[in-house]
Amino acid sequence: MRFDIGGHVLPRVGVGSDAAVSSRPVIESLLRRGVRALGNVTIRDEVGVSGLIDDGGRVAGVRAIGRAAGSREETLTADLVVVGSGRGGKVPAWLEAMGYERPTEERVEVDIMYASRILRLRPGAVGDDKIILNAARPDRARGVAAIVEEGGEWNVTLYGYGPEHRPPTEHADFVAFAAAVADPEFAAAIAQAEPVGPGHTHGYPASVRRRYDRRRRFPEGLLVMGDAMCSFNPVYGQGMTVAALEAVELQRCLRKGDERLAKRFFKAARGPVEHAWKLSTGGDLAMPQVDAVAPLPDRLVGRYLDRFMTAASHDGELTRMFFEVTGMIAPVTRLLSPATMLRVRRVNRRHAALAGGVETPASRVPTKVAA
């Protein structure tokens, strides 16, 4: 892995865990194969849900209709409906139709655009690296992320905040954009790569967190999870991780029965959602293009975290800690423990002394940075 985050190049150290890299279609096909193998699961393809079945304020199933022309609506009864329909889901409107309040929403308008291409790099162009990230930072609202997929092809994604930093898809312009954000070796590898197929773009206007955990009234027989509960900026790669952790919490809740299930589940899911929300929105709020200001406590933590990243660029133990937290293996609070803060201070002081008092990148970060 080759990581440059906020101008801090992390050292090459073992982080104590393995990473499996592949395309999303492969991941999804393997998951689908595993689900199909379960004897008590039936998958209905090409079927959309048009609404919930209201049984006196309790959800008793869904109204479904096939996407093929001429399909008729049918009812599918259920003891429990779990909605994982993504950030564009209609649950708030369905709740309102049943007489319940919509959940309050927290939004961070990021206005970010992605452009991805599959490239075939020359052998050895980036050594043995499998994941490369040159992240956007306050003084450069553009970034590049790349991962090797099955067959040795690379999925390279460029992204930018705001209309002035829209990444292109045409190959020559794609190469030029990458040259401005990638490290020289990777930029040269992209310039010499063979494109495989066309480029694709994806716009992401805002991160949205729907606070179902704050609803006093919520219908029995219904749960919401994944992006339908909280949608994160995809550049941080947390969506599937949070959904998996929510599934673990749901399993734990179901083992204790179905009484007050929604209240217990939303409370249990708050932990992983809050973890990822702080990490992703903190990174976004650091960007001048994001028109929002974090509360003072978050800004103070953000300044400290930049100092943490400065220290991590010179300390393998702090780098391992960073990956454990961003990988949602360890809590965010681990970065803020007294022992960690003391280590950050010592590392930065030692490096500053060796550098002859040269200012660190932390001194260049504006006060808008948030955690």
Side-chain angles (χ1 to χ4, degrees):
M1 297 188 295
R2 184 188 306 188
F3 274 65
D4 179 336
I5 301 176
H8 308 293
V9 179
L10 300 182
R12 304 298 187 91
V13 296
V15 297
S17 59
D18 295 327
V21 291
S22 75
S23 66
R24 180 164 178 166
V26 166
I27 295 173
E28 292 183 347
S29 65
L30 291 173
L31 289 173
R32 187 179 179 90
R33 183 188 305 172
V35 172
R36 279 194 180 279
L38 300 174
N40 60 344
V41 174
T42 300
I43 297 177
R44 296 284 298 274
D45 289 312
E46 298 299 324
V47 174
V49 174
S50 55
L52 304 174
I53 299 174
D54 183 357
D55 184 14
R58 175 189 175 88
V59 174
V62 298
R63 299 193 305 274
I65 186 169
R67 302 192 188 280
S71 297
R72 295 183 178 181
E73 187 176 81
E74 59 179 316
T75 59
L76 300 175
T77 59
D79 296 316
L80 177 64
V81 174
V82 181
V83 180
S85 54
R87 56 181 169 270
K90 300 178 181 179
V91 175
W94 292 342
L95 288 174
E96 194 171 49
M98 291 179 65
Y100 292 90
E101 291 185 8
R102 288 172 175 255
T104 56
E105 290 187 352
E106 298 174 8
R107 296 177 64 90
V108 176
E109 305 287 342
V110 295
D111 188 19
I112 198 168
M113 178 72 77
Y114 299 83
S116 298
R117 293 192 69 105
I118 303 299
L119 302 178
R120 187 173 294 117
L121 273 58
R122 291 184 177 181
V126 292
D128 293 329
D129 291 334
K130 302 294 188 294
I131 304 173
I132 298 176
L133 172 66
N134 292 91
R137 58 187 192 229
D139 63 339
R140 189 195 67 201
R142 302 178 177 189
V144 57
I147 185 170
V148 69
E149 298 182 346
E150 58 276 2
E153 295 174 344
W154 282 78
N155 188 328
V156 180
T157 296
L158 307 176
Y159 66 93
Y161 289 83
E164 296 180 359
H165 302 282
R166 300 288 192 235
T169 56
E170 198 280 324
H171 186 63
D173 296 330
F174 190 93
V175 169
F177 190 104
V181 295
D183 63 79
E185 183 185 53
F186 188 44
I190 293 175
Q192 299 168 3
E194 175 189 352
V196 180
H200 300 275
T201 60
H202 173 69
Y204 185 81
S207 297
V208 180
R209 182 179 183 184
R210 297 186 173 99
R211 299 307 302 257
Y212 291 105
D213 57 313
R214 294 179 176 174
R215 292 294 87 207
R216 292 184 177 181
R217 293 181 63 249
F218 193 84
E220 294 295 326
L222 177 68
L223 295 177
V224 183
M225 64 189 305
D227 278 7
M229 182 193 299
C230 188
S231 172
F232 308 93
N233 186 339
V235 74
Y236 301 105
Q238 298 168 318
M240 287 190 284
T241 303
V242 173
L245 292 172
E246 289 170 356
V248 172
E249 295 299 340
L250 175 56
Q251 185 181 59
R252 290 172 178 166
C253 290
L254 287 171
R255 285 173 176 167
K256 297 180 181 180
D258 59 2
E259 184 178 354
R260 299 172 60 250
L261 178 61
K263 185 177 182 62
R264 290 187 292 114
F265 169 70
F266 290 135
K267 180 179 179 180
R270 187 188 305 158
V273 170
E274 184 75 15
H275 183 148
W277 182 257
K278 282 187 174 294
L279 290 173
S280 62
T281 59
D284 289 332
L285 289 171
M287 305 303 298
Q289 291 75 17
V290 177
D291 187 18
V293 178
L296 178 60
D298 287 348
R299 297 202 300 272
L300 294 176
V301 172
R303 295 176 190 176
Y304 160 73
L305 288 181
D306 190 75
R307 290 177 172 85
F308 176 94
M309 294 306 301
T310 300
S313 66
H314 307 290
D315 186 277
E317 182 58 33
L318 293 176
T319 292
R320 280 187 284 270
M321 192 181 302
F322 168 78
F323 280 110
E324 288 178 354
V325 171
T326 56
M328 303 190 69
I329 298 170
V332 177
T333 51
R334 187 177 179 192
L335 303 182
L336 304 173
S337 70
T340 301
M341 289 183 170
L342 181 59
R343 188 182 187 100
V344 167
R345 185 180 183 185
R346 287 174 176 171
V347 171
N348 283 338
R349 281 188 169 184
R350 183 172 65 248
H351 176 67
L354 292 174
V358 176
E359 290 186 344
T360 66
S363 64
R364 302 196 304 267
V365 178
T367 58
K368 191 170 176 289
V369 171

